[in-house]
Amino acid sequence: MFSTIRNRKGFTLIELMIVVVIIGILAALAIPRFMQASMKSKQSEAKGILKQIYTMEHAYRQEHDVYVTDLNTIGVELQPQPPRRYGYVIALNGTGFTATATANLDDDATIDTWTIDDGGILQCTVNDVTG
């Protein structure tokens, strides 16, 4: 007698749990890749400024016949501290120089380190992205 058809609206608990599990799996795959891509983009700051230091050092040497260690002397202007991630140091070695950029990109023990020398060789000596 009371065989009325129930009006089924909504989702069952099992269906909702399956959706949550799928979203969790996708997040577990996507978040590490996003973090690595984000840190690689942060490394582009160091590459760009080190290339600028290289160019400005050579321009300064053309006029004054020496390399210098002061960024302001060669005209490299860095952004204020909050957006800047790296610290920059220029060291003289004989007749050349080596500029170094260092930063801790992900708050672990590894310090990301990039260098460029007077020959224009840009290299990552310690990579904080890969660990």
Side-chain angles (χ1 to χ4, degrees):
M1 287 192 141
F2 293 103
S3 61
T4 61
I5 300 174
R6 287 182 56 188
N7 202 2
R8 290 184 41 139
K9 292 182 181 176
F11 301 102
T12 66
L13 183 59
I14 297 294
E15 291 170 332
L16 290 175
M17 288 175 55
I18 290 172
V19 169
V20 169
V21 167
I22 291 171
I23 291 173
I25 291 170
L26 292 175
L29 296 173
I31 290 174
R33 289 180 189 255
F34 170 77
M35 295 301 290
Q36 187 172 16
S38 174
M39 285 198 291
K40 281 187 178 247
S41 71
K42 291 175 186 177
Q43 287 179 330
S44 66
E45 173 195 320
K47 293 177 192 178
I49 292 178
L50 286 174
K51 289 176 184 176
Q52 180 184 6
I53 290 171
Y54 170 79
T55 302
M56 299 302 283
E57 279 282 7
H58 281 284
Y60 187 86
R61 184 169 186 237
Q62 289 293 330
E63 290 184 29
H64 304 285
D65 293 326
V66 294
Y67 292 118
V68 294
T69 60
D70 183 32
L71 293 172
N72 293 327
T73 302
I74 60 174
V76 175
E77 295 182 19
L78 300 176
Q79 295 177 347
Q81 187 59 35
R84 187 174 45 143
R85 294 173 180 87
Y86 285 82
Y88 300 91
V89 175
I90 302 173
L92 301 179
N93 50 13
T95 59
F97 73 91
T98 300
T100 305
T102 57
N104 190 344
L105 298 177
D106 57 1
D107 298 326
D108 62 2
T110 307
I111 303 295
D112 197 51
T113 306
W114 287 83
T115 61
I116 193 165
D117 62 12
D118 55 290
I121 298 171
L122 176 67
Q123 61 185 346
C124 182
T125 55
V126 179
N127 195 342
D128 194 15
V129 172
T130 58

